[in-house]
Amino acid sequence: MDRAGVRGVRLNLVTLASRHSGDRSQLVGDYERILAPLGWHLQVFADAATLLALESGLARCSVNVVIDHMGLPDAAAGIGQPGFQAVLRLLARKHVWVKLAGADRITRTSGRLRDGNSFRSALAAVARERLVWGSDWPHIGFHSGQQVQGDAVLAHRELDAGELLDVLTEAVPDAATRRAILAGNPARLYGFDG
């Protein structure tokens, strides 16, 4: 798989949470032991509360950790929410990366993608050199532009990739930083640069 270009494994603690009902800190450690000899990273798809609970284990990880969807904060709760503060503390560590994807996921209570700009800006202020962008295509399930309450499941949401890039441009106005997030940083993380 490494020869085929695989560079990491995604641990899904959101939609596949029931598969991982045991000690999640131990699970992270198990993945770390498997991935370290390969030089692969661990991408963690978890909500803010789970990341807060896993913070110390992820901080000690000997492999690169990529936090998916900015840690799934709720944009309505602001950047001061404890789970997002844990993401910021983790990103301050040299082995932690954050994927700037899921703009529709974190703004599902308002349906306005720009409501997540303060999160992208806060992440860029901590470690712009370890941020990578993702469109999160095909924008499945509960990520509609409608205002929702709780865990309601809504239909597929069509998103314009151009609008997603416009949102990134607004949150990260420096062109060199955006180029790094869109191209240079992923090249380093995924080994495209050599």
Side-chain angles (χ1 to χ4, degrees):
M1 290 175 66
D2 189 76
R3 284 192 304 271
V6 175
R7 293 296 177 260
V9 171
R10 185 180 196 228
L11 177 58
N12 183 337
L13 298 174
V14 176
T15 57
L16 300 178
S18 63
R19 294 185 184 178
H20 309 293
S21 59
D23 180 354
R24 290 181 172 173
S25 294
Q26 179 64 45
L27 182 65
V28 167
D30 292 344
Y31 272 86
E32 177 185 8
R33 281 187 290 286
I34 293 166
L35 299 175
L38 300 170
W40 291 5
H41 67 266
L42 175 63
Q43 183 165 316
V44 180
F45 179 35
D47 61 27
T50 302
L51 287 169
L52 188 58
L54 291 174
E55 181 178 3
S56 62
L58 294 173
R60 290 190 310 271
C61 232
S62 63
V63 299
N64 282 335
V65 173
V66 179
I67 298 172
D68 206 356
H69 301 305
M70 297 175 276
L72 289 178
D74 177 359
I79 64 172
Q81 60 194 282
F84 187 70
Q85 288 300 306
V87 172
L88 292 175
R89 287 189 299 271
L90 284 166
L91 183 59
R93 300 191 170 260
K94 301 296 183 202
H95 70 284
V96 177
W97 298 65
V98 173
K99 189 171 280 187
L100 301 179
D104 54 326
R105 294 175 188 245
I106 72 166
T107 59
R108 61 188 291 244
T109 55
S110 73
R112 294 183 303 268
L113 298 179
R114 284 164 175 77
D115 289 354
N117 277 353
S118 60
F119 296 89
R120 286 179 280 281
S121 297
L123 291 163
V126 171
R128 63 182 181 251
E129 71 280 5
R130 289 191 312 283
L131 299 178
V132 294
W133 183 83
S135 69
D136 199 26
W137 183 87
H139 317 292
I140 58 171
F142 54 83
H143 318 301
S144 158
Q146 301 173 36
Q147 187 172 9
V148 296
Q149 302 299 321
D151 292 328
V153 176
L154 300 172
H156 167 83
R157 178 178 182 182
E158 287 292 334
L159 288 178
D160 178 350
E163 182 181 5
L164 291 170
L165 288 169
D166 288 346
V167 167
L168 176 65
T169 298
E170 292 168 15
V172 183
D174 179 66
T177 300
R178 280 195 317 278
R179 272 193 302 279
I181 291 168
L182 292 166
N185 297 351
R188 283 191 354 266
L189 177 64
Y190 299 114
F192 301 151
D193 61 353

